[in-house]
């Protein structure tokens, strides 16, 4: 049985999927419910159902997470230029991956 990594359509968290059954779209029932509420709130507005509508607070948080990920990438580039050790680069790379995963979430 193979496994695929998918992202929750609501929050962006990873979903570990197996070949059995229907493909999961949400990581939790609460994400499924929020997506349903979101789709219903858009009815009659002309905004497509698959649109992502973020509050100003959510958009600012998303921008902050992407800024942190960019800063971490710049730290990796600087460390390489300065001849950092393999251990230092591993730690910086691990931090970059964690920040990038966090930045993937829309909410």
């Amino acid at each position: 049985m193979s496994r695929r990594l998918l992202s929750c359509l609501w929050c962006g968290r990873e979903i570990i999927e197996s070949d059995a059954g229907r493909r999961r779209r949400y990581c939790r029932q609460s994400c499924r419910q929020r997506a349903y509420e979101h789709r219903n709130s858009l009815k009659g507005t002309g905004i497509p159902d698959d649109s992502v509508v973020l509050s100003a607070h959510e958009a600012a948080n998303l921008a902050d997470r992407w800024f942190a990920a960019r800063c971490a990438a710049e730290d990796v580039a600087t460390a390489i230029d300065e001849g950092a050790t393999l251990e230092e680069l591993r730690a910086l790379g691990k931090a970059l991956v964690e920040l990038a995963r966090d930045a993937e979430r829309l909410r």
Side-chain angles (χ1 to χ4, degrees), residues 7 17 29 37 39 49 51 55 59 64 66-67 73 79-80 82 87 90 95-98 101-102:
S7 294
E17 180 84 16
Q29 178 62 29
E37 292 168 354
R39 284 191 308 274
D49 287 345
S51 295
S55 69
D64 289 345
W66 275 113
F67 177 74
I80 290 169
E82 293 177 353
E87 293 78 26
R90 276 193 185 116
L96 174 58
V97 169
E98 290 173 10
R101 279 192 181 133
D102 191 41

Side-chain angles (χ1 to χ4, degrees), residues 75-91:
D75 290 346
V76 170
T78 300
I80 290 169
D81 289 343
E82 293 177 353
T85 67
L86 186 56
E87 293 78 26
E88 291 170 326
L89 291 174
R90 276 193 185 116

